[in-house]
Amino acid sequence: AEEVDTSCCACCASEMAEEDPDQVHVLFRVAYGTQWGQNLVLCGPNARGEPSRGTSMRCRHHQDQLLWETTLLIDAKTTYRYAYVVVDDEKDVPPKWECGTRTLELPKAIRGGSQVLVQDVWMDNALPENLLHRSAFTRVLLKKKTYTCSGKEMENVEAKEGCVVLRLKVRDWKLEPGETVRATGCPQAMGGWDHSQALIMTESENDVWEVELLVPKTEFPVAYKYVVCNAGGVASHVENGPDRIATLEDVAGTSDSFDYLVCDDFHFRHEEHWKGAGVALPVFSLRTNDSVGAGEFLDLKKVVDLANAAGLKLIQILPINDTQVYKTFWDSYPYCSLSVFALHPLYLNLDHLSPDLPGKIKEKIGKARKELDLEDMDYVETMKAKLEIAREVFDFNGHEVLRSTGFKAFLESNAAWLVPYACFSFLRDLFGTSQHWNWGIASKPTPQLLDRLSSPSADYHPMIAFMYYLQYNLHLQLLEASRYAQEKGVVLKGDLPIGVDKRSVDTWMFPELFRMNTSTGAPPDYFDANGQNWGFPTYNWEEMEKNEYAWWRARLECMSRYFQAYRIDHILGFFRIWEIPGKCKTGLLGRFRPCLPIWQGELEQCGIWDFDRLTKPYIRKHIVDALFGNRAGEVTLKYLEEGNSGMLALRGAYAEECQIVESLTPRKGSPKWLMEEMEEDLKGLLSLRQNVVLLKDSEDSRRFYPRIGMVDTSSFQELEPWQQETLQQMYHQHFFEKQDDLWAKNAYKTLPALMNATDMLVCGEDLGMVPPCVPTVLHDLCLLGLRIQRMPELPSDEFGDPSTYPYMTVCSPSCHDTTTLRGWWEEDKERRERFYHNFLKAKGDVPDKCGPKIVRTVLRQHFDSPSCWAIFALQDLLALSSTFSQRPALDETINDPTNPKHYWRFRFHVKVEDMLASKAWLADLQSLSVSSGRAKLSELSENLQECASADLYDSL
């Protein structure tokens, strides 16, 4: 549509532009409270999504609002699409777009030269209603229903002298079948506030309701609200909040110049927000009658049936991408991706590879199923069996699959990642390592190299084709499970790991996107007092921004084929990441990137000059004596040497953490006394290496960073008091004051790139050392945070109170990185006593075990919380049943974050089929879901309340 900015009120627009007979004057108005340096821009079709090409708006105060306005000449016969955006005078602040794109479709009978006022409500991204735009709701939970007025075209009203055509527009995604939205208000056409006479609206688009009415100009301003009515016309919900007001006042303060008034009111204001409950589990932990050695994608269909019966509306799983980096049990770690696109063959169902498997292959599958049905997953043997049998099936009829239309379409649409993945997997097996920098000429994947490796004429092409075959079948099986969940009204929620392995397809293909000489981790926190070093390279965000985060967008688009929601692992990394030098093994010597440093000049101005004293390990004889006792002399001779000014220094072979760890790792079969001695030396030497106050920037020697926890080091404690005071002030400023604006700006750039890539619902894992800016950014972006009861937000609290959680959160008693609820209870006697008496307000002796009564009490707190989602580890739900909770509680722990080589092998001791058969247990879950308002009895596949056990309501 042609648009001409008249930059003035509608009544004088004709003096500013030459009019087309089919054009109308449209004054766009939106109320928005900007901050200093901010302006609003209207971006129409000619702006092409670039605020610099949009139309600047002018502002004025009206009562307690700041109104932004601009007038355009618009072709009356076309649909005009536009959006408002906030721009900042600071160039590095990204524009803030409102939620979605607006559509202005003028009445067919409108005459050229008409004056139109568009009164918009800012579509705030932060409003909880915006969650309902996401595919978890539009495609699953609130998928399109048939309404009374669906498919009808809104009836246009003819304009008349002395009157204004008033069009009202509102969105509502929460309607039940048969319900309609109506407008009630002071005009007689709206029923004069009589809800039974409210004006019926038409659903002109999906969940968008509109109506036109003729209102005399003398009746303005018009007060009104929206109501939801059932099929019988009875109002069931009246809009919350104050009356809405439609006014005709123009820029000049007059009210008689307009012929049409369009009020786009964004959302129906419901009194209560939507809430749901879900279950979290690793796919590999599932046990069914069909699975071989580990849970499989198709097992999720049975979990969907379980969720449906229990009133749970979401299944959250751990990452499922291929992790075959080492070809050992280390690959059981699901957050260490070999490829962020490829699916893991661990989850392959062998029986579904072909409808006519030979009897011999069927026997092998049956034998593997029996032999691998162990208490915990044997990752190595399971992978060996699955790949061997899958290869036999491939040799049997795989080439027919590769000739199929379905496979050819899959290969064509996924070639960008599938071909490099297959080539990488071949080279990994050929060289016996995933360290692609050691592959010689193949270390750089040029297009010519990839073409040559993937050529169908090559002798080794069957190995490449087998990788294609595996990925195609994994895709089909996960897609089948996803579509089944969608049909049953259950959301499938995936997990987006914060990093990729250094030895991965992605770092091979796109080395410029990663800082390969560094590692990602976390500072000391609840999980590990020494911090964590995950071993992933950090991201080169500056390079990623150059192509508008194409790698992230492709990654998320791939996920969206199967998931309608996802969890961002360690979302704090999108504000700032804990970056650790490549020579480190722990997380203590890391620093945040990006961050503002302490400059050398700042230190010198405070009288601090001896930078070697602060940045090099502070090692003196009395410190060594305290660490090693009677072995101090032996340790000194073996690992240390004389330094300057009476100091000691680590010998060159032990100068870095990685050298210390590699040198002091005992060989298999070493005697116990030697292993204990080496462990003691390892801890002591690491402590000496970490005994520094400041870290020097490797790229600029003038920049310094405080070592996290420096006040606890003997290096700091032996400084002069004035030096301690100065450095402690700088430490506090560095970690808790200086960085917040920088980190917020970084998140406002990176997180929208992810969120806008797809329409999946986004949740962030925001645990750990949380900067003050995080809650504000998550709120502004309409992004759900996480609340784990044992990790409260406030340092003064020992336990989180679910009744106080914000709506925009996901709450849970535990997660995969913690012990289960039962395990947590048994870990610490004094803590459980405080929780029992002070938080649960229970009386009497504290049980040693966390039985169903206590479990039910804690779960009910979370079900009843205000959080949008209450998502529970399946182990915690099983603990409602005394039958299902016989296994030792600590055996149900999925991960130990303090162990970087933890073996992820937990499997449920109960088959999903047995869970489905337990009507009493399902009845208990139904009761919690329904009584909390997170499910309706009408939505359940079966009402099992008559099957409830006698202790269904037995809680503290």
Side-chain angles (χ1 to χ4, degrees), residues 314-335:
L314 179 147
I315 299 170
Q316 175 176 311
I317 64 176
L318 296 188
I320 51 174
N321 293 111
D322 193 348
T323 60
Q324 296 177 88
V325 174
Y326 301 97
K327 291 298 191 93
T328 69
F329 79 87
W330 290 354
D331 296 337
S332 66
Y333 180 28
Y335 288 89

Side-chain angles (χ1 to χ4, degrees), residues 123-341:
M123 298 197 299
D124 194 344
N125 277 292
L127 288 178
E129 288 85 354
N130 287 327
L131 296 177
L132 308 182
H133 290 244
R134 296 286 174 172
S135 61
F137 294 94
T138 58
R139 288 166 47 195
V140 184
L141 298 169
L142 302 176
K143 56 189 173 186
K144 183 61 185 165
K145 307 180 182 79
T146 302
Y147 300 123
T148 302
C149 296
S150 287
K152 294 183 179 179
E153 186 174 335
M154 182 182 63
E155 187 176 330
N156 290 137
V157 176
E158 291 283 343
K160 290 184 180 179
E161 187 70 27
C163 294
V164 170
V165 176
L166 173 61
R167 177 187 291 182
L168 304 178
K169 184 176 183 179
V170 72
R171 297 153 185 80
D172 195 337
W173 282 266
K174 295 179 67 175
L175 298 182
E176 297 294 331
E179 288 184 331
T180 57
V181 179
R182 305 189 183 195
T184 184
C186 53
Q188 198 58 39
M190 292 187 191
W193 293 110
D194 181 352
H195 299 334
S196 64
Q197 300 299 313
L199 188 62
I200 299 176
M201 303 180 75
T202 300
E203 189 193 21
S204 55
E205 303 173 45
N206 283 353
D207 307 302
V208 178
W209 294 77
E210 294 183 282
V211 70
E212 285 187 1
L213 63 153
L214 201 61
V215 181
K217 292 184 178 181
T218 55
E219 292 190 19
F220 282 89
V222 171
Y224 64 98
K225 274 189 173 183
Y226 297 106
V227 297
V228 173
C229 296
N230 61 24
V234 178
S236 55
H237 304 290
V238 180
E239 195 175 31
N240 197 32
D243 294 345
R244 299 182 186 268
I245 304 295
T247 177
L248 288 179
E249 183 178 311
D250 62 16
V251 179
T254 60
S255 58
D256 59 355
S257 57
F258 294 105
D259 306 302
Y260 293 86
L261 171 58
V262 179
C263 294
D264 187 341
D265 290 319
F266 198 20
H267 285 290
F268 187 101
R269 300 182 307 224
H270 282 277
E271 187 172 355
E272 295 183 353
H273 297 306
W274 185 97
K275 294 198 300 182
V279 60
L281 51 92
V283 176
F284 63 77
S285 297
L286 292 173
R287 191 186 301 269
T288 69
N289 292 329
D290 304 321
S291 54
V292 175
E296 299 164 351
F297 287 148
L298 291 178
D299 293 334
L300 287 170
K301 295 173 71 173
K302 295 178 181 178
V303 182
V304 169
D305 293 336
L306 182 71
N308 235 308
L312 306 175
K313 299 179 179 179
L314 179 147
I315 299 170
Q316 175 176 311
I317 64 176
L318 296 188
I320 51 174
N321 293 111
D322 193 348
T323 60
Q324 296 177 88
V325 174
Y326 301 97
K327 291 298 191 93
T328 69
F329 79 87
W330 290 354
D331 296 337
S332 66
Y333 180 28
Y335 288 89
C336 188
S337 306
L338 178 81
S339 165
V340 299
F341 299 98

